[in-house]
Amino acid sequence: MKADLFDQRRLLELQAVDTQLTQLGQRRKKLDADPVYATAVQRQRALADKAANLTGDLADLDRDIERVEREVELVTKRAESDRTRMASGAATAKELEGLQSELESLARRQRTLEDDQLELMERREVLDAELGEVRRQVEESRQVLADAEADRGRQIGEIDAETADATSTREALAINIPDRLVELYERLHAKQPIAAAELVGRRCGSCRLEKSPADMIPIKSAPIDEVIRCEECNCILIRTELPQSKPTSLGSEDELKKYT
């Protein structure tokens, strides 16, 4: 393939922009896996789940407490009814004996219920204190998460702005490069991160391997508009030092003088 040397050199600018875009993409991915942000999210979720579980446990305890209270109330009313019956003088001796036995049973039941009620209230007090502490931690973790999200949002904004600028620059560069040369570059860039690299002395700027003197002979003798490829990494090699052979086109003589 033939292409003006200066069009080839524009590929280095295009490659630089593409490298920048790749680095910006990598920065964006790292933000998604940022340990500070990920830890803040996980802690927030864990604390929220714990608070929800404790709230559910408290609700269950409250239902148990209400149930025991209703049973205590029923036992108390039954005992009051029995005592009223006994005090009325209308009960027979056998009824009185039965009422007395029931009162003793109701008293035992009431003591058991009151013990259960006390135990439930103590458990509720402990859970309520634990829930209060977890809720405090939830609010604290929310602030940590908010700070992490704000920092992440700021960085994403910077990356997006840089990406937009680089994309605009890339479009402007690509327009000024011949289609065939751009198409070759794009095909290579789709397969490898570096599609065009500078030939510095005898070293390829992509694979960093140094060419042997024998390898350099055809490169140096190639016409100035010949598109050279690295045999090792297949990228387009951009010659910054002009070959000794005479250029096939003199259309860029004024620019060529800058490099002689």
Side-chain angles (χ1 to χ4, degrees):
M1 177 186 291
K2 303 289 185 179
D4 187 275
L5 174 65
F6 299 98
D7 288 330
Q8 294 184 46
R9 290 180 64 84
R10 290 191 181 98
L11 290 181
L12 292 177
E13 299 177 55
L14 190 60
Q15 178 64 71
V17 174
D18 280 338
T19 299
Q20 181 187 8
L21 286 169
T22 299
Q23 292 170 343
L24 288 168
Q26 291 172 345
R27 283 174 56 192
R28 183 66 181 267
K29 287 181 180 179
K30 285 182 180 179
L31 282 178
D32 293 334
D34 177 42
V36 175
Y37 177 73
T39 299
V41 171
Q42 291 173 359
R43 178 169 172 75
Q44 172 67 20
R45 290 175 179 170
L47 288 171
D49 289 344
K50 188 174 183 179
N53 291 334
L54 287 171
T55 300
D57 292 343
L58 279 172
D60 291 341
L61 276 176
D62 286 339
R63 282 191 292 271
D64 290 340
I65 291 171
E66 288 179 7
R67 175 182 55 78
V68 171
E69 287 176 345
R70 286 195 300 270
E71 290 189 36
V72 169
E73 185 178 357
L74 290 173
V75 168
T76 301
K77 287 182 179 180
R78 181 64 179 177
E80 289 177 355
S81 176
D82 286 350
R83 282 191 288 270
T84 300
R85 176 65 176 166
M86 291 176 68
S88 67
T92 64
K94 187 174 182 179
E95 287 178 327
L96 287 173
E97 185 179 350
L99 289 170
Q100 182 61 41
S101 176
E102 185 177 57
L103 281 172
E104 292 173 359
S105 177
L106 289 171
R108 288 194 298 272
R109 177 59 179 163
Q110 183 170 349
R111 286 194 296 272
T112 299
L113 289 171
E114 288 174 347
D115 288 342
D116 290 345
Q117 185 180 31
L118 180 60
E119 181 183 350
L120 289 171
M121 293 297 291
E122 288 175 348
R123 286 172 56 192
R124 192 191 190 287
E125 184 177 353
V126 171
L127 281 180
D128 192 49
E130 186 177 355
L131 178 59
E133 173 60 21
V134 171
R135 283 175 173 167
R136 184 193 66 77
Q137 293 177 9
V138 166
E139 291 304 315
E140 184 180 86
S141 70
R142 279 178 182 164
Q143 185 58 53
V144 172
L145 180 57
D147 292 342
E149 286 178 336
D151 183 60
R152 182 171 180 271
R154 176 186 59 77
Q155 293 186 64
I156 288 175
E158 292 176 354
I159 291 172
D160 288 346
E162 290 181 43
T163 300
D165 289 343
T167 301
S168 178
T169 300
R170 189 187 197 283
E171 292 173 354
L173 284 170
I175 290 174
N176 293 314
I177 301 174
D179 292 343
R180 287 186 62 200
L181 189 59
V182 169
E183 289 170 3
L184 172 62
Y185 172 89
E186 297 291 11
R187 285 199 305 272
L188 293 173
H189 191 257
K191 300 176 182 178
Q192 58 195 62
I194 300 179
E198 185 177 8
L199 178 63
V200 182
R202 290 191 291 142
R203 189 181 299 278
C204 170
S206 174
C207 62
R208 304 296 180 182
L209 296 178
E210 192 168 283
K211 309 291 182 186
S212 68
D215 291 334
M216 290 299 297
I217 293 174
I219 293 176
K220 289 182 177 181
S221 62
I224 194 171
D225 60 352
E226 184 74 27
V227 176
I228 304 297
R229 304 277 288 278
C230 176
E231 294 182 356
E232 301 296 333
C233 65
N234 203 37
C235 78
I236 302 171
L237 277 178
I238 311 299
R239 291 167 288 173
T240 55
E241 297 177 2
L242 294 180
Q244 297 301 316
S245 59
K246 185 177 180 181
T248 58
S249 172
L250 298 179
S252 301
E253 275 190 14
D254 290 341
E255 293 188 31
L256 291 175
K257 289 178 181 177
K258 301 176 185 177
Y259 302 96
T260 58

Tab-separated table of all heavy atoms in Angstrom, residues 162-191:
chain	number	residue	atom	x	y	z
A	162	GLU	N	-13.426	13.920	29.162
A	162	GLU	CA	-12.189	13.624	28.438
A	162	GLU	C	-12.463	12.698	27.251
A	162	GLU	O	-11.863	12.847	26.179
A	162	GLU	CB	-11.169	12.975	29.382
A	162	GLU	CG	-10.607	13.930	30.437
A	162	GLU	CD	-9.593	13.253	31.329
A	162	GLU	OE1	-8.751	12.501	30.800
A	162	GLU	OE2	-9.637	13.451	32.559
A	163	THR	N	-13.369	11.739	27.454
A	163	THR	CA	-13.724	10.809	26.376
A	163	THR	C	-14.382	11.539	25.224
A	163	THR	O	-14.088	11.273	24.043
A	163	THR	CB	-14.658	9.703	26.898
A	163	THR	OG1	-13.987	8.970	27.937
A	163	THR	CG2	-15.059	8.745	25.787
A	164	ALA	N	-15.275	12.478	25.558
A	164	ALA	CA	-15.954	13.252	24.509
A	164	ALA	C	-14.949	14.085	23.721
A	164	ALA	O	-15.005	14.151	22.482
A	164	ALA	CB	-17.020	14.149	25.136
A	165	ASP	N	-14.011	14.715	24.434
A	165	ASP	CA	-12.981	15.510	23.753
A	165	ASP	C	-12.102	14.641	22.862
A	165	ASP	O	-11.797	15.009	21.713
A	165	ASP	CB	-12.108	16.229	24.795
A	165	ASP	CG	-12.860	17.354	25.500
A	165	ASP	OD1	-13.912	17.777	24.983
A	165	ASP	OD2	-12.401	17.796	26.565
A	166	ALA	N	-11.688	13.486	23.399
A	166	ALA	CA	-10.816	12.593	22.631
A	166	ALA	C	-11.542	12.037	21.410
A	166	ALA	O	-10.965	11.909	20.327
A	166	ALA	CB	-10.325	11.447	23.524
A	167	THR	N	-12.820	11.719	21.575
A	167	THR	CA	-13.612	11.206	20.450
A	167	THR	C	-13.749	12.252	19.358
A	167	THR	O	-13.632	11.947	18.161
A	167	THR	CB	-15.007	10.768	20.936
A	167	THR	OG1	-14.865	9.749	21.940
A	167	THR	CG2	-15.836	10.218	19.786
A	168	SER	N	-13.962	13.494	19.763
A	168	SER	CA	-14.059	14.592	18.798
A	168	SER	C	-12.734	14.785	18.066
A	168	SER	O	-12.700	14.979	16.836
A	168	SER	CB	-14.467	15.876	19.516
A	168	SER	OG	-14.512	16.960	18.614
A	169	THR	N	-11.644	14.721	18.816
A	169	THR	CA	-10.313	14.852	18.218
A	169	THR	C	-10.052	13.716	17.243
A	169	THR	O	-9.504	13.928	16.145
A	169	THR	CB	-9.230	14.849	19.310
A	169	THR	OG1	-9.452	15.955	20.194
A	169	THR	CG2	-7.838	14.954	18.710
A	170	ARG	N	-10.461	12.513	17.621
A	170	ARG	CA	-10.256	11.342	16.760
A	170	ARG	C	-11.006	11.512	15.440
A	170	ARG	O	-10.476	11.202	14.358
A	170	ARG	CB	-10.735	10.082	17.471
A	170	ARG	CG	-10.367	8.805	16.740
A	170	ARG	CD	-11.004	7.586	17.400
A	170	ARG	NE	-10.358	6.365	16.967
A	170	ARG	CZ	-10.546	5.772	15.804
A	170	ARG	NH1	-11.396	6.321	14.924
A	170	ARG	NH2	-9.909	4.665	15.482
A	171	GLU	N	-12.237	11.963	15.516
A	171	GLU	CA	-13.038	12.152	14.300
A	171	GLU	C	-12.380	13.160	13.364
A	171	GLU	O	-12.336	12.962	12.149
A	171	GLU	CB	-14.447	12.599	14.682
A	171	GLU	CG	-15.259	11.517	15.392
A	171	GLU	CD	-16.580	12.034	15.908
A	171	GLU	OE1	-16.816	13.269	15.805
A	171	GLU	OE2	-17.388	11.228	16.411
A	172	ALA	N	-11.866	14.241	13.964
A	172	ALA	CA	-11.211	15.271	13.150
A	172	ALA	C	-9.937	14.728	12.503
A	172	ALA	O	-9.618	15.045	11.345
A	172	ALA	CB	-10.896	16.485	14.015
A	173	LEU	N	-9.197	13.905	13.225
A	173	LEU	CA	-7.970	13.328	12.680
A	173	LEU	C	-8.278	12.352	11.547
A	173	LEU	O	-7.633	12.375	10.495
A	173	LEU	CB	-7.200	12.596	13.782
A	173	LEU	CG	-6.428	13.456	14.788
A	173	LEU	CD1	-5.925	12.584	15.938
A	173	LEU	CD2	-5.243	14.138	14.098
A	174	ALA	N	-9.260	11.488	11.774
A	174	ALA	CA	-9.573	10.450	10.792
A	174	ALA	C	-10.032	11.040	9.464
A	174	ALA	O	-9.743	10.489	8.398
A	174	ALA	CB	-10.647	9.515	11.355
A	175	ILE	N	-10.719	12.177	9.516
A	175	ILE	CA	-11.209	12.814	8.294
A	175	ILE	C	-10.057	13.231	7.389
A	175	ILE	O	-10.162	13.204	6.151
A	175	ILE	CB	-12.088	14.038	8.641
A	175	ILE	CG1	-13.404	13.569	9.265
A	175	ILE	CG2	-12.358	14.895	7.417
A	175	ILE	CD1	-14.272	14.705	9.765
A	176	ASN	N	-8.934	13.606	7.985
A	176	ASN	CA	-7.794	14.116	7.222
A	176	ASN	C	-6.803	13.043	6.792
A	176	ASN	O	-5.714	13.356	6.306
A	176	ASN	CB	-7.064	15.180	8.057
A	176	ASN	CG	-7.906	16.419	8.254
A	176	ASN	OD1	-8.509	16.926	7.313
A	176	ASN	ND2	-7.980	16.901	9.492
A	177	ILE	N	-7.162	11.786	6.993
A	177	ILE	CA	-6.297	10.677	6.576
A	177	ILE	C	-7.004	9.920	5.456
A	177	ILE	O	-8.217	9.687	5.538
A	177	ILE	CB	-6.017	9.733	7.766
A	177	ILE	CG1	-5.346	10.505	8.912
A	177	ILE	CG2	-5.123	8.565	7.335
A	177	ILE	CD1	-5.156	9.691	10.184
A	178	PRO	N	-6.299	9.555	4.386
A	178	PRO	CA	-6.929	8.818	3.287
A	178	PRO	C	-7.705	7.594	3.774
A	178	PRO	O	-7.279	6.910	4.713
A	178	PRO	CB	-5.740	8.422	2.409
A	178	PRO	CG	-4.711	9.474	2.684
A	178	PRO	CD	-4.870	9.820	4.130
A	179	ASP	N	-8.821	7.334	3.128
A	179	ASP	CA	-9.724	6.265	3.555
A	179	ASP	C	-9.031	4.915	3.636
A	179	ASP	O	-9.210	4.170	4.615
A	179	ASP	CB	-10.920	6.169	2.606
A	179	ASP	CG	-11.834	7.387	2.718
A	179	ASP	OD1	-11.717	8.104	3.729
A	179	ASP	OD2	-12.647	7.600	1.803
A	180	ARG	N	-8.251	4.557	2.600
A	180	ARG	CA	-7.614	3.237	2.584
A	180	ARG	C	-6.666	3.060	3.762
A	180	ARG	O	-6.593	1.988	4.361
A	180	ARG	CB	-6.857	3.030	1.273
A	180	ARG	CG	-7.756	2.801	0.053
A	180	ARG	CD	-6.922	2.474	-1.158
A	180	ARG	NE	-6.168	1.243	-0.961
A	180	ARG	CZ	-5.097	0.912	-1.671
A	180	ARG	NH1	-4.625	1.748	-2.595
A	180	ARG	NH2	-4.476	-0.225	-1.458
A	181	LEU	N	-5.949	4.130	4.099
A	181	LEU	CA	-5.003	4.063	5.213
A	181	LEU	C	-5.752	3.945	6.539
A	181	LEU	O	-5.369	3.174	7.426
A	181	LEU	CB	-4.107	5.303	5.204
A	181	LEU	CG	-2.918	5.295	6.176
A	181	LEU	CD1	-2.004	4.107	5.900
A	181	LEU	CD2	-2.139	6.606	6.065
A	182	VAL	N	-6.829	4.695	6.670
A	182	VAL	CA	-7.640	4.627	7.889
A	182	VAL	C	-8.273	3.250	8.040
A	182	VAL	O	-8.314	2.669	9.131
A	182	VAL	CB	-8.744	5.709	7.893
A	182	VAL	CG1	-9.735	5.464	9.029
A	182	VAL	CG2	-8.125	7.088	8.052
A	183	GLU	N	-8.762	2.698	6.922
A	183	GLU	CA	-9.380	1.367	6.954
A	183	GLU	C	-8.390	0.309	7.405
A	183	GLU	O	-8.712	-0.590	8.200
A	183	GLU	CB	-9.944	1.021	5.580
A	183	GLU	CG	-11.189	1.829	5.218
A	183	GLU	CD	-11.586	1.633	3.767
A	183	GLU	OE1	-10.926	0.821	3.072
A	183	GLU	OE2	-12.555	2.286	3.323
A	184	LEU	N	-7.155	0.395	6.914
A	184	LEU	CA	-6.115	-0.544	7.339
A	184	LEU	C	-5.855	-0.396	8.835
A	184	LEU	O	-5.779	-1.389	9.574
A	184	LEU	CB	-4.828	-0.298	6.553
A	184	LEU	CG	-3.589	-1.096	7.023
A	184	LEU	CD1	-3.835	-2.594	6.887
A	184	LEU	CD2	-2.352	-0.662	6.232
A	185	TYR	N	-5.712	0.842	9.252
A	185	TYR	CA	-5.471	1.101	10.681
A	185	TYR	C	-6.603	0.536	11.528
A	185	TYR	O	-6.367	-0.115	12.556
A	185	TYR	CB	-5.323	2.610	10.910
A	185	TYR	CG	-5.272	2.987	12.365
A	185	TYR	CD1	-4.056	3.020	13.053
A	185	TYR	CD2	-6.433	3.296	13.077
A	185	TYR	CE1	-4.006	3.342	14.402
A	185	TYR	CE2	-6.392	3.620	14.415
A	185	TYR	CZ	-5.175	3.645	15.073
A	185	TYR	OH	-5.126	3.957	16.414
A	186	GLU	N	-7.859	0.784	11.122
A	186	GLU	CA	-9.013	0.340	11.903
A	186	GLU	C	-9.069	-1.177	11.979
A	186	GLU	O	-9.414	-1.743	13.021
A	186	GLU	CB	-10.317	0.878	11.294
A	186	GLU	CG	-10.443	2.400	11.296
A	186	GLU	CD	-10.622	2.986	12.689
A	186	GLU	OE1	-10.454	2.262	13.689
A	186	GLU	OE2	-10.915	4.193	12.784
A	187	ARG	N	-8.740	-1.863	10.893
A	187	ARG	CA	-8.747	-3.328	10.902
A	187	ARG	C	-7.723	-3.858	11.910
A	187	ARG	O	-8.002	-4.795	12.656
A	187	ARG	CB	-8.431	-3.880	9.508
A	187	ARG	CG	-9.581	-3.774	8.520
A	187	ARG	CD	-9.384	-4.735	7.345
A	187	ARG	NE	-8.114	-4.559	6.674
A	187	ARG	CZ	-7.908	-3.710	5.669
A	187	ARG	NH1	-8.903	-2.940	5.231
A	187	ARG	NH2	-6.717	-3.615	5.083
A	188	LEU	N	-6.554	-3.239	11.907
A	188	LEU	CA	-5.514	-3.662	12.835
A	188	LEU	C	-5.894	-3.324	14.279
A	188	LEU	O	-5.694	-4.133	15.186
A	188	LEU	CB	-4.174	-3.000	12.477
A	188	LEU	CG	-3.536	-3.435	11.153
A	188	LEU	CD1	-2.320	-2.574	10.848
A	188	LEU	CD2	-3.147	-4.909	11.234
A	189	HIS	N	-6.435	-2.135	14.465
A	189	HIS	CA	-6.770	-1.688	15.823
A	189	HIS	C	-7.889	-2.523	16.428
A	189	HIS	O	-8.000	-2.640	17.652
A	189	HIS	CB	-7.169	-0.207	15.804
A	189	HIS	CG	-7.275	0.385	17.175
A	189	HIS	ND1	-8.484	0.608	17.795
A	189	HIS	CD2	-6.318	0.769	18.056
A	189	HIS	CE1	-8.270	1.108	18.993
A	189	HIS	NE2	-6.965	1.227	19.178
A	190	ALA	N	-8.733	-3.109	15.579
A	190	ALA	CA	-9.808	-3.975	16.077
A	190	ALA	C	-9.242	-5.265	16.670
A	190	ALA	O	-9.892	-5.919	17.489
A	190	ALA	CB	-10.787	-4.295	14.959
A	191	LYS	N	-8.020	-5.628	16.270
A	191	LYS	CA	-7.404	-6.875	16.724
A	191	LYS	C	-6.356	-6.653	17.807
A	191	LYS	O	-6.066	-7.576	18.583
A	191	LYS	CB	-6.754	-7.604	15.543
A	191	LYS	CG	-7.733	-7.978	14.429
A	191	LYS	CD	-6.985	-8.599	13.261
A	191	LYS	CE	-7.920	-8.932	12.111
A	191	LYS	NZ	-7.197	-9.506	10.945
